[in-house]
Amino acid sequence: MHALIVAAGKGSRFGASVPKQYLDLAGRSVLEHSVKRLNHAEIRDLTLVVAADDERVHSLDFEFAGKIDFAIGGDERWQSVHSGVAHIRASGAGDDDWVLVHDAARPCLPAADLQAIITASHTCTQNALMLATPVVDTLKLAQDEQVVRTVDRQNLWQAQTPQMFRLAALEKVLAAVSEQGLMITDEASGFELLGEAVQVVAGSRLNMKLTFAGDLPLLSLIAERLLADDKP
């Protein structure tokens, strides 16, 4: 099992002067938290995919028991994942190895959620799994700031990471995305577009993504709670 964190983004929606993965969160960078949350006995190594001009990453102090490698990302998310996957393959990974893809901007992955998706992979007969939470809010479709209709939320899930894929299957999907010019927002959507099944593993709402400035105070509280729970 190999972990991959996508950390090459600029965080343009966030609006900070530095990429959001380097913002302070409970005394450490967001990225350091995200790496720490992937500590698990079954995860052999971690590949961090960063921007070519990223110098900050090498000054960080990561808490990760396995080996950490680096790969250079691209302009699009899938290109960054493709780069990381190529590095994992070149390092000797096999076709049926699992690749666990996580967002750098999800620094509060609970240990129970990570364990849930890893445990699910032990019996999964498909090539893809993903953490997700059921949609609980009432959803509205709006145009020009006017509500058009209420969207039925039954059977709707909010995608999270980590997402896990068999290496060979993930390579095939990423190749198709490149060759066909497909638009995907996560790797699971690439599997969907190619008709590949993706198993949903229920996660928690604590595993939220840092997207807007208003998310940071809440994530700070969650991070402090998780750090307290980690102490013996």
Side-chain angles (χ1 to χ4, degrees):
M1 191 171 294
H2 314 275
L4 186 160
I5 288 184
V6 186
K10 302 299 183 183
S12 56
R13 283 183 296 176
F14 193 86
S17 59
V18 299
K20 60 186 176 182
Q21 61 266 30
Y22 295 117
L23 293 172
D24 180 79
L25 183 71
R28 306 197 72 182
S29 71
V30 169
L31 182 56
E32 285 172 305
H33 282 282
S34 298
V35 169
K36 177 180 171 62
R37 303 316 306 172
L38 292 184
N39 263 310
H40 192 282
E42 291 189 51
I43 298 178
R44 179 182 302 179
D45 47 59
L46 167 65
T47 298
L48 284 176
V49 185
V50 299
D53 60 351
D54 190 341
E55 297 296 334
R56 295 183 183 89
V57 69
H58 300 295
S59 65
L60 301 183
D61 182 20
F62 294 116
E63 292 184 45
F64 185 74
K67 179 184 178 183
I68 296 181
D69 288 328
F70 295 89
I72 302 302
D75 294 333
E76 302 292 337
R77 177 194 169 90
W78 71 265
Q79 294 172 325
S80 294
V81 173
H82 189 274
S83 176
V85 167
H87 178 84
I88 291 170
R89 171 66 83 177
S91 298
D95 286 353
D96 290 331
D97 285 6
W98 286 106
V99 177
L100 183 149
V101 183
H102 190 47
D103 293 328
R106 288 189 189 271
C108 295
L109 170 68
D113 289 17
L114 178 61
Q115 185 61 60
I117 193 168
I118 289 176
T119 298
S121 74
H122 295 162
T123 55
C124 182
T125 58
Q126 300 160 184
N127 291 320
L129 307 93
M130 61 177 287
L131 281 177
T133 57
V135 172
V136 296
D137 294 318
T138 298
L139 298 179
K140 302 290 186 179
L141 176 65
Q143 293 179 347
D144 300 324
E145 299 182 346
Q146 298 295 316
V147 171
V148 176
R149 62 182 175 87
T150 299
V151 178
D152 184 1
R153 69 188 179 202
Q154 185 175 2
N155 298 322
L156 291 183
W157 291 74
Q158 182 172 320
Q160 298 178 332
T161 67
Q163 300 180 358
M164 292 180 62
F165 312 97
R166 296 285 188 189
L167 176 57
L170 180 55
E171 289 173 326
K172 178 182 176 182
V173 167
L174 292 173
V177 168
S178 176
E179 293 165 3
Q180 301 178 33
L182 302 177
M183 297 297 295
I184 63 172
T185 54
D186 65 357
E187 291 63 57
S189 59
F191 278 74
E192 297 161 33
L193 289 172
L194 296 183
E196 293 276 350
V198 180
Q199 180 177 331
V200 171
V201 179
S204 72
R205 299 179 73 186
L206 296 178
N207 184 23
M208 63 181 289
K209 185 177 181 181
L210 176 58
T211 305
F212 302 108
D215 300 332
L216 198 57
L218 179 55
L219 277 167
S220 295
L221 293 174
I222 298 171
E224 290 172 357
R225 173 60 185 270
L226 291 176
L227 289 173
D229 289 346
D230 287 342
K231 294 180 180 179

